[in-house]
Amino acid sequence: MINLEKPSAKQVKHYLAKHETLENYVLQEKALEKLFNLFPHNTDINDILLKSSTLNDFYSTNIFNTYAVAKHILAIPNLDNRLKQGDISLVDEIKEVTMSDGKKRDFYSFATKYCSHHNPIDFPIYDSYVEKVLCYFNKIDNFSSFKRAELKDYRKFKEILLDFQRYYKLKGFTLKEIDRYLWLLGKEIFPRYKN
């Protein structure tokens, strides 16, 4: 039986400080930030390919045809303005890609990361570790009303994170900081246990 310490400002600060000691993750995040600042727009396939390929490599999102994904992103109307405005429906548009063999693939986690690196305030990142930690604490404290499958609905996922933030009184932290805490906690705890 896992017995995790309740989420608190102290816990979040602890994991954020821990993150800063993980050189590879810190440097990858800085490289991604630099890349997305150098190429903030999504009107050139080369820029999108660079961002998609780097995200895929750093986050191991298992996209085996980044060209198909980049081409798909390029075709989304008004993408840059919608990213700036925090239009979360973009995640659903980016995630479903028709590959060269005609099969549709769902790149949900990648889509959240792509949007988040353009606008981290409005687009929290979905990750399987984040999912496990949210489910764990919801089972204990019932901070939100959801089923595990609903975490794959981006609008619901963001609402659940906001519920988590409110319930545990973490308003002093951004969703990106909360995501980083949840991810590190999940990575540390859940590989050892079946959920």
Side-chain angles (χ1 to χ4, degrees):
M1 178 72 182
I2 308 169
N3 191 12
L4 299 180
E5 192 171 327
K6 293 257 190 214
S8 64
K10 180 183 170 193
Q11 276 288 68
V12 174
K13 285 177 187 173
H14 167 77
Y15 278 92
L16 291 176
K18 186 175 183 173
H19 180 269
E20 292 305 307
T21 68
L22 304 172
E23 185 180 32
N24 58 328
Y25 293 120
V26 171
L27 291 176
Q28 285 178 350
E29 280 301 310
K30 285 183 180 177
L32 285 168
E33 188 177 320
K34 186 174 186 176
L35 179 65
F36 277 74
N37 284 332
L38 280 171
F39 305 109
H41 303 292
N42 294 283
T43 54
D44 182 326
I45 190 78
N46 296 305
D47 297 353
I48 299 169
L49 265 170
L50 279 169
K51 293 183 285 189
S52 299
S53 297
T54 307
L55 274 176
N56 185 48
D57 181 56
F58 286 178
Y59 282 104
S60 304
T61 56
N62 297 317
I63 297 172
F64 301 111
N65 186 345
T66 50
Y67 174 73
V69 171
K71 198 172 162 189
H72 171 72
I73 291 169
L74 182 64
I76 296 173
N78 202 22
L79 180 64
D80 291 331
N81 285 334
R82 292 171 67 197
L83 282 166
K84 278 183 201 156
Q85 293 167 359
D87 179 355
I88 61 174
S89 69
L90 275 174
V91 170
D92 287 336
E93 288 181 53
I94 291 172
K95 77 175 186 175
E96 195 169 292
V97 180
T98 302
M99 304 307 279
S100 54
D101 62 4
K103 291 184 181 171
K104 288 193 182 219
R105 297 283 312 270
D106 185 325
F107 297 116
Y108 178 60
S109 181
F110 168 83
T112 69
K113 291 169 173 85
Y114 194 85
C115 291
S116 182
H117 280 84
H118 281 285
N119 179 349
I121 302 295
D122 292 319
F123 292 96
I125 293 175
Y126 166 86
D127 182 272
S128 62
Y129 290 125
V130 171
E131 174 184 306
K132 288 176 182 176
V133 176
L134 288 172
C135 288
Y136 171 85
F137 283 118
N138 200 52
K139 193 173 190 178
I140 290 170
D141 292 327
N142 198 29
F143 66 84
S144 185
S145 176
F146 70 92
K147 292 181 173 66
R148 181 181 289 257
E150 290 177 297
L151 291 166
K152 297 282 180 85
D153 172 333
Y154 194 67
R155 186 171 305 283
K156 184 70 175 170
F157 171 69
K158 186 173 178 181
E159 287 171 14
I160 293 163
L161 274 179
L162 291 169
D163 288 346
F164 180 89
Q165 184 185 44
R166 275 188 294 275
Y167 184 87
Y168 294 108
K169 298 174 179 53
L170 301 174
K171 288 281 195 182
F173 298 96
T174 65
L175 289 181
K176 186 166 185 74
E177 289 170 326
I178 291 171
D179 167 71
R180 191 164 280 162
Y181 153 68
L182 293 169
W183 178 77
L184 274 175
L185 179 61
K187 193 168 175 53
E188 180 180 290
I189 300 301
F190 287 106
R192 295 183 239 150
Y193 299 96
K194 293 247 185 244
N195 194 4

